[in-house]
Amino acid sequence: MRSLKHTLALILFFTTTTQAQNYQRTPLGAKVQAGSTDVEIQFFDPSTVRVLKSPAGKTFKKESLSVIKKPQATKLAISRKADILSLKSNSLTVNVDLKSGAIAYSSPAGQALLAEKEEGASFVPFDDAGSQAYTVTQSFRLDKDEAIYGLGQQQRGKLSLRGAKINMVQGNTDDFVPFLVSTRGYGLFWDNYSPTLFEDKEENTSFKSDIGDCIDYYFMLGGSLDGSIARMRSLTGQAPMFPLWTFGFWQSKERYKTQDELVGVVRKYRELGVPLDGIIQDWQYWGNNYQWNAMEFLNPDFYDPKKMISDIHQMNARMAISIWASFGPKTKQYRELEKINALYNFSTWPESGVEKWPPNKDYPSGVRVYDPFNPAAREIYWKYLNKGIFSLGMDAWWMDSTEPDNFDNKPSHTYLGSYQKVRNAFPLMSVGGVYDNQRAVSSDKRVFILTRSAFAGQQRYGANTWSGDVNSSWQTLRNQIPAGLNFSLSAIPYWNSDIGGFFAGSYNQTWNDGSGPQNPAFRELYVRWLQFAAFTPMMRSHGTDVPREIYQFGKKGEPIYDAIEKSIHLRYSLLPYIYSAAWDITSSQSTMMRALVMDFNDKKVINMNHEYMFGKSILVAPVVNAQYTPETLVKSTAETGWNKNANSSSKAVPVNFTEPKSTTVYLPRGTAWYDFWTNEKIAGGQEIEKRTTIDEIPLYIKAGSILPTGPQVQFATEKKWDHLEIRVYPGANGEFSLYEDENDNYNYEKGAFSTILFKWDDKGKTLTIGARKGSFPGMLATRRFTIVYMGNDRKVSREVTYDGKMRKVSL
């Protein structure tokens, strides 16, 4: 009997021990060995979980390039029932199948959110340039009715990612961020930097990365699309404030060839009285291709760069300049970077030292891309940028080819291993190097970077990403809206595109007695693109083949010129609204360019590609189809686009730009809407036919909105906001917080700013102007507000003096 008891005790001991060894509690969660896979669950906070998976027994060290948040102590209840290990915070439940290693996520109330597919993780070993690595895959099961968005910018022309197959490798016009958000209220960040295939099929949704030491992803529960974006920014960094002047109008082209030409453009805008805040100098100010990106004005046509910048500043404008991630063999940077083995081997732009098209390969340029993953290389990069350009008073950086151009895919090594292993994170590191170094030497001028590519976490580096060298075509314009929306849904809030498209060679043929900016087909496309751009985070005109300055399109009193000027003035009138929306991004993790699905519970907007909210009050429905001229399909790439002999099939037709047209607009349900132009009130939940003209696109204001408008100016800071019009759109309660600071510098981080909260009580028809909070040097002590009640039943206007104390205005 004693022997039997002893045997039973041993069996119980070994069984308990075996079960206990299946998982181990850790300070952040738990480690599990499921078959041949090690699984670790780390709670970064009650709503954010990191999952690491690797072949059993394989040790590795992974430090994220994107994630900067440190895990915080999280109270967890950990229990086991049969083969399911449960980890519960007060916000999230994570269940791990101890047999398969599959993980399922649910709310504390038991609502299923996302589940890995059983046997959905795989590791295929291979040799990565002398180091052992894996091709890693993780599959998930999505609910058939949920919608997902994000993954950066794609030129697919679609908003929803359901059914998509996307090969995520950074390119000229595709910027990939492996973060998606779901209408079920969660976000998913796949923390891998190598080329990655995302595929959503009926049976599973998967990420498959070419190279990884492990599977590494983050699940975050935000409760909404906005909430999930906020979680991602908490994980990877918050977006700083841009200077007010970056939200004005910017003029550019490929390229201004002399100092006098560049300064002359700003002077011409001032003479015409057309607002302008920025001018951009594109490439080759450094001279020939062997001196590529020398970060000095070696081109003799830029004879006095310090005076050039000073002349622009004296006209109250700012200047940005093109810099690249590559260097010619005759530059100082090349020689210094070569000494520390910080130059890549693959072929990049420009391929020839001869500045003619097509490239003459008999005279190779020798240009090589530098290694931004190397801290010493980033310091070298900034040393020359600071000395050669920033010290002259340059205001902003146009960082081109930050993906970068890679023409032959030759194997290259970086400071962190093979180039392929970290390829997609190149823009994060190159942009971050400039931001960190400029902030280290100056706090008087906010960093502003215009860049061609992006990766997860880049929002923390003061960068606005543009959509690359896209075509000048109507289809490309249509593609830009879902491209910008998905990029914004990837937690990076600042995005823009080349107004009119970059490659416009097909419009240089003579048509209707005009070519280039006189070609009616290009004129219509340009105006509609510019009207769209007025409602993006940066309004910037740029391209090759066809000049884009307003005076190229005619003169005041002519329909196209007047339409361009009207849109620019409209942009400036909205600066108080836009700058306050920027503060909402910085302080509350908001998003400026908003897919309708973010704000409306309406099935019809789940995959709406051609409308969006700009801020939380303005619905924008750009005109994205030709109404006056034939719509010509134009296709080109970075290779073919430089061929100036392109032509189109446009034929001469009568064009009357004064003729009214119409387009259809869908107004989301759940609110009433006001036509911005006519103030007509319209019920939501319906498609309407909207009359349009060449100088107007459909704009609608949501009921309950409070919309501030500013004075007419020639540049953003010309006039103080001492007399703003505050428009109140009745039909619902609403509020708006007006943000102000010194417009530049980083004193706002120390509390040097103010906010004024406006609250509308729709039932009582009363607007409360709250007591001002905060202060900053130069703040207005008193000011006037003209309050305008925008109800279409009656129009009431009240002028009030405001001294910072609460006021109630009855309307």
Side-chain angles (χ1 to χ4, degrees), residues 558-579:
E558 296 176 353
I560 297 300
Y561 182 102
D562 288 352
I564 294 170
E565 184 179 27
K566 182 175 181 176
S567 287
I568 296 173
H569 277 299
L570 176 58
R571 171 76 173 200
Y572 277 84
S573 73
L574 292 172
L575 284 181
Y577 174 81
I578 294 170
Y579 201 53

mmCIF file of all heavy atoms in Angstrom, residues 558-579:
data_model
loop_
_atom_site.group_PDB
_atom_site.id
_atom_site.type_symbol
_atom_site.label_atom_id
_atom_site.label_comp_id
_atom_site.label_asym_id
_atom_site.label_seq_id
_atom_site.Cartn_x
_atom_site.Cartn_y
_atom_site.Cartn_z
ATOM 1 N N GLU A 558 -8.709 85.843 -64.954
ATOM 2 C CA GLU A 558 -8.904 84.670 -65.800
ATOM 3 C C GLU A 558 -9.289 83.484 -64.927
ATOM 4 O O GLU A 558 -8.817 83.359 -63.779
ATOM 5 C CB GLU A 558 -7.648 84.374 -66.604
ATOM 6 C CG GLU A 558 -7.291 85.484 -67.581
ATOM 7 C CD GLU A 558 -5.980 85.254 -68.315
ATOM 8 O OE1 GLU A 558 -5.262 84.280 -67.970
ATOM 9 O OE2 GLU A 558 -5.677 86.056 -69.226
ATOM 10 N N PRO A 559 -10.150 82.580 -65.424
ATOM 11 C CA PRO A 559 -10.734 81.542 -64.562
ATOM 12 C C PRO A 559 -9.713 80.659 -63.843
ATOM 13 O O PRO A 559 -9.893 80.375 -62.653
ATOM 14 C CB PRO A 559 -11.587 80.708 -65.526
ATOM 15 C CG PRO A 559 -11.776 81.528 -66.737
ATOM 16 C CD PRO A 559 -10.681 82.532 -66.795
ATOM 17 N N ILE A 560 -8.668 80.220 -64.529
ATOM 18 C CA ILE A 560 -7.713 79.305 -63.896
ATOM 19 C C ILE A 560 -6.876 80.016 -62.857
ATOM 20 O O ILE A 560 -6.710 79.543 -61.720
ATOM 21 C CB ILE A 560 -6.824 78.633 -64.966
ATOM 22 C CG1 ILE A 560 -7.680 77.767 -65.904
ATOM 23 C CG2 ILE A 560 -5.737 77.791 -64.312
ATOM 24 C CD1 ILE A 560 -8.446 76.656 -65.223
ATOM 25 N N TYR A 561 -6.356 81.180 -63.201
ATOM 26 C CA TYR A 561 -5.581 81.969 -62.242
ATOM 27 C C TYR A 561 -6.418 82.260 -61.002
ATOM 28 O O TYR A 561 -5.971 82.058 -59.862
ATOM 29 C CB TYR A 561 -5.123 83.263 -62.895
ATOM 30 C CG TYR A 561 -4.265 84.150 -62.007
ATOM 31 C CD1 TYR A 561 -2.887 84.191 -62.174
ATOM 32 C CD2 TYR A 561 -4.832 84.951 -61.008
ATOM 33 C CE1 TYR A 561 -2.098 85.007 -61.376
ATOM 34 C CE2 TYR A 561 -4.056 85.751 -60.204
ATOM 35 C CZ TYR A 561 -2.687 85.788 -60.387
ATOM 36 O OH TYR A 561 -1.904 86.591 -59.582
ATOM 37 N N ASP A 562 -7.633 82.714 -61.212
ATOM 38 C CA ASP A 562 -8.490 83.075 -60.076
ATOM 39 C C ASP A 562 -8.829 81.864 -59.210
ATOM 40 O O ASP A 562 -8.921 81.971 -57.976
ATOM 41 C CB ASP A 562 -9.782 83.713 -60.579
ATOM 42 C CG ASP A 562 -9.561 85.120 -61.145
ATOM 43 O OD1 ASP A 562 -8.435 85.638 -61.009
ATOM 44 O OD2 ASP A 562 -10.503 85.671 -61.732
ATOM 45 N N ALA A 563 -8.997 80.696 -59.845
ATOM 46 C CA ALA A 563 -9.293 79.481 -59.079
ATOM 47 C C ALA A 563 -8.106 79.099 -58.197
ATOM 48 O O ALA A 563 -8.283 78.696 -57.032
ATOM 49 C CB ALA A 563 -9.638 78.343 -60.024
ATOM 50 N N ILE A 564 -6.892 79.232 -58.746
ATOM 51 C CA ILE A 564 -5.691 78.924 -57.960
ATOM 52 C C ILE A 564 -5.571 79.883 -56.788
ATOM 53 O O ILE A 564 -5.366 79.477 -55.631
ATOM 54 C CB ILE A 564 -4.439 78.994 -58.860
ATOM 55 C CG1 ILE A 564 -4.485 77.886 -59.918
ATOM 56 C CG2 ILE A 564 -3.171 78.883 -58.020
ATOM 57 C CD1 ILE A 564 -3.410 78.013 -60.996
ATOM 58 N N GLU A 565 -5.725 81.178 -57.055
ATOM 59 C CA GLU A 565 -5.586 82.175 -55.997
ATOM 60 C C GLU A 565 -6.659 81.985 -54.918
ATOM 61 O O GLU A 565 -6.378 82.097 -53.715
ATOM 62 C CB GLU A 565 -5.681 83.577 -56.585
ATOM 63 C CG GLU A 565 -5.445 84.662 -55.543
ATOM 64 C CD GLU A 565 -5.522 86.067 -56.124
ATOM 65 O OE1 GLU A 565 -6.231 86.256 -57.130
ATOM 66 O OE2 GLU A 565 -4.896 86.969 -55.546
ATOM 67 N N LYS A 566 -7.868 81.659 -55.329
ATOM 68 C CA LYS A 566 -8.965 81.467 -54.369
ATOM 69 C C LYS A 566 -8.655 80.325 -53.405
ATOM 70 O O LYS A 566 -8.902 80.444 -52.192
ATOM 71 C CB LYS A 566 -10.256 81.195 -55.124
ATOM 72 C CG LYS A 566 -11.482 81.036 -54.235
ATOM 73 C CD LYS A 566 -12.741 80.879 -55.075
ATOM 74 C CE LYS A 566 -13.996 80.733 -54.237
ATOM 75 N NZ LYS A 566 -15.227 80.667 -55.069
ATOM 76 N N SER A 567 -8.100 79.239 -53.910
ATOM 77 C CA SER A 567 -7.787 78.095 -53.044
ATOM 78 C C SER A 567 -6.666 78.424 -52.079
ATOM 79 O O SER A 567 -6.675 77.982 -50.923
ATOM 80 C CB SER A 567 -7.399 76.880 -53.899
ATOM 81 O OG SER A 567 -8.530 76.337 -54.522
ATOM 82 N N ILE A 568 -5.677 79.191 -52.548
ATOM 83 C CA ILE A 568 -4.578 79.568 -51.654
ATOM 84 C C ILE A 568 -5.093 80.478 -50.544
ATOM 85 O O ILE A 568 -4.758 80.306 -49.362
ATOM 86 C CB ILE A 568 -3.441 80.227 -52.452
ATOM 87 C CG1 ILE A 568 -2.823 79.221 -53.438
ATOM 88 C CG2 ILE A 568 -2.365 80.765 -51.508
ATOM 89 C CD1 ILE A 568 -1.804 79.819 -54.395
ATOM 90 N N HIS A 569 -5.917 81.448 -50.892
ATOM 91 C CA HIS A 569 -6.496 82.333 -49.861
ATOM 92 C C HIS A 569 -7.367 81.547 -48.888
ATOM 93 O O HIS A 569 -7.360 81.818 -47.677
ATOM 94 C CB HIS A 569 -7.317 83.439 -50.526
ATOM 95 C CG HIS A 569 -6.505 84.611 -50.997
ATOM 96 N ND1 HIS A 569 -5.756 85.397 -50.150
ATOM 97 C CD2 HIS A 569 -6.328 85.126 -52.250
ATOM 98 C CE1 HIS A 569 -5.156 86.345 -50.837
ATOM 99 N NE2 HIS A 569 -5.477 86.215 -52.124
ATOM 100 N N LEU A 570 -8.123 80.580 -49.387
ATOM 101 C CA LEU A 570 -8.955 79.761 -48.502
ATOM 102 C C LEU A 570 -8.087 79.010 -47.505
ATOM 103 O O LEU A 570 -8.419 78.930 -46.310
ATOM 104 C CB LEU A 570 -9.787 78.780 -49.331
ATOM 105 C CG LEU A 570 -10.660 77.784 -48.547
ATOM 106 C CD1 LEU A 570 -11.636 78.508 -47.631
ATOM 107 C CD2 LEU A 570 -11.402 76.860 -49.505
ATOM 108 N N ARG A 571 -6.981 78.455 -47.981
ATOM 109 C CA ARG A 571 -6.045 77.751 -47.084
ATOM 110 C C ARG A 571 -5.597 78.674 -45.956
ATOM 111 O O ARG A 571 -5.608 78.284 -44.778
ATOM 112 C CB ARG A 571 -4.844 77.269 -47.896
ATOM 113 C CG ARG A 571 -3.688 76.707 -47.072
ATOM 114 C CD ARG A 571 -3.974 75.333 -46.549
ATOM 115 N NE ARG A 571 -2.804 74.741 -45.897
ATOM 116 C CZ ARG A 571 -2.640 73.457 -45.680
ATOM 117 N NH1 ARG A 571 -3.570 72.594 -46.061
ATOM 118 N NH2 ARG A 571 -1.569 72.994 -45.072
ATOM 119 N N TYR A 572 -5.220 79.887 -46.290
ATOM 120 C CA TYR A 572 -4.720 80.811 -45.266
ATOM 121 C C TYR A 572 -5.813 81.233 -44.290
ATOM 122 O O TYR A 572 -5.548 81.427 -43.100
ATOM 123 C CB TYR A 572 -4.062 82.024 -45.927
ATOM 124 C CG TYR A 572 -2.636 81.746 -46.330
ATOM 125 C CD1 TYR A 572 -2.338 81.115 -47.530
ATOM 126 C CD2 TYR A 572 -1.569 82.088 -45.497
ATOM 127 C CE1 TYR A 572 -1.038 80.837 -47.906
ATOM 128 C CE2 TYR A 572 -0.257 81.816 -45.855
ATOM 129 C CZ TYR A 572 0.009 81.180 -47.057
ATOM 130 O OH TYR A 572 1.315 80.882 -47.416
ATOM 131 N N SER A 573 -7.034 81.366 -44.773
ATOM 132 C CA SER A 573 -8.125 81.745 -43.865
ATOM 133 C C SER A 573 -8.384 80.669 -42.822
ATOM 134 O O SER A 573 -8.888 80.954 -41.735
ATOM 135 C CB SER A 573 -9.401 82.020 -44.661
ATOM 136 O OG SER A 573 -9.976 80.817 -45.160
ATOM 137 N N LEU A 574 -8.020 79.436 -43.148
ATOM 138 C CA LEU A 574 -8.255 78.310 -42.233
ATOM 139 C C LEU A 574 -7.070 78.016 -41.318
ATOM 140 O O LEU A 574 -7.096 77.029 -40.573
ATOM 141 C CB LEU A 574 -8.611 77.055 -43.039
ATOM 142 C CG LEU A 574 -9.963 77.084 -43.760
ATOM 143 C CD1 LEU A 574 -10.104 75.870 -44.670
ATOM 144 C CD2 LEU A 574 -11.115 77.132 -42.764
ATOM 145 N N LEU A 575 -6.035 78.845 -41.344
ATOM 146 C CA LEU A 575 -4.849 78.552 -40.527
ATOM 147 C C LEU A 575 -5.153 78.428 -39.032
ATOM 148 O O LEU A 575 -4.573 77.558 -38.360
ATOM 149 C CB LEU A 575 -3.762 79.593 -40.770
ATOM 150 C CG LEU A 575 -2.993 79.456 -42.089
ATOM 151 C CD1 LEU A 575 -1.925 80.539 -42.209
ATOM 152 C CD2 LEU A 575 -2.350 78.072 -42.228
ATOM 153 N N PRO A 576 -6.027 79.237 -38.428
ATOM 154 C CA PRO A 576 -6.336 79.009 -37.005
ATOM 155 C C PRO A 576 -6.930 77.621 -36.757
ATOM 156 O O PRO A 576 -6.629 76.980 -35.742
ATOM 157 C CB PRO A 576 -7.345 80.121 -36.681
ATOM 158 C CG PRO A 576 -7.048 81.187 -37.682
ATOM 159 C CD PRO A 576 -6.673 80.467 -38.938
ATOM 160 N N TYR A 577 -7.758 77.147 -37.677
ATOM 161 C CA TYR A 577 -8.343 75.808 -37.582
ATOM 162 C C TYR A 577 -7.263 74.744 -37.780
ATOM 163 O O TYR A 577 -7.184 73.765 -37.015
ATOM 164 C CB TYR A 577 -9.426 75.684 -38.657
ATOM 165 C CG TYR A 577 -10.052 74.310 -38.799
ATOM 166 C CD1 TYR A 577 -11.067 73.883 -37.940
ATOM 167 C CD2 TYR A 577 -9.648 73.444 -39.820
ATOM 168 C CE1 TYR A 577 -11.656 72.638 -38.087
ATOM 169 C CE2 TYR A 577 -10.235 72.202 -39.976
ATOM 170 C CZ TYR A 577 -11.232 71.796 -39.109
ATOM 171 O OH TYR A 577 -11.817 70.556 -39.259
ATOM 172 N N ILE A 578 -6.399 74.936 -38.768
ATOM 173 C CA ILE A 578 -5.370 73.945 -39.086
ATOM 174 C C ILE A 578 -4.330 73.857 -37.972
ATOM 175 O O ILE A 578 -3.926 72.761 -37.559
ATOM 176 C CB ILE A 578 -4.707 74.285 -40.436
ATOM 177 C CG1 ILE A 578 -5.727 74.141 -41.579
ATOM 178 C CG2 ILE A 578 -3.500 73.395 -40.692
ATOM 179 C CD1 ILE A 578 -5.240 74.687 -42.912
ATOM 180 N N TYR A 579 -3.895 75.012 -37.471
ATOM 181 C CA TYR A 579 -2.862 75.010 -36.426
ATOM 182 C C TYR A 579 -3.399 74.400 -35.140
ATOM 183 O O TYR A 579 -2.672 73.690 -34.425
ATOM 184 C CB TYR A 579 -2.386 76.442 -36.180
ATOM 185 C CG TYR A 579 -1.024 76.542 -35.525
ATOM 186 C CD1 TYR A 579 0.080 75.872 -36.064
ATOM 187 C CD2 TYR A 579 -0.821 77.321 -34.394
ATOM 188 C CE1 TYR A 579 1.332 75.979 -35.475
ATOM 189 C CE2 TYR A 579 0.427 77.448 -33.798
ATOM 190 C CZ TYR A 579 1.501 76.762 -34.350
ATOM 191 O OH TYR A 579 2.744 76.863 -33.770
#
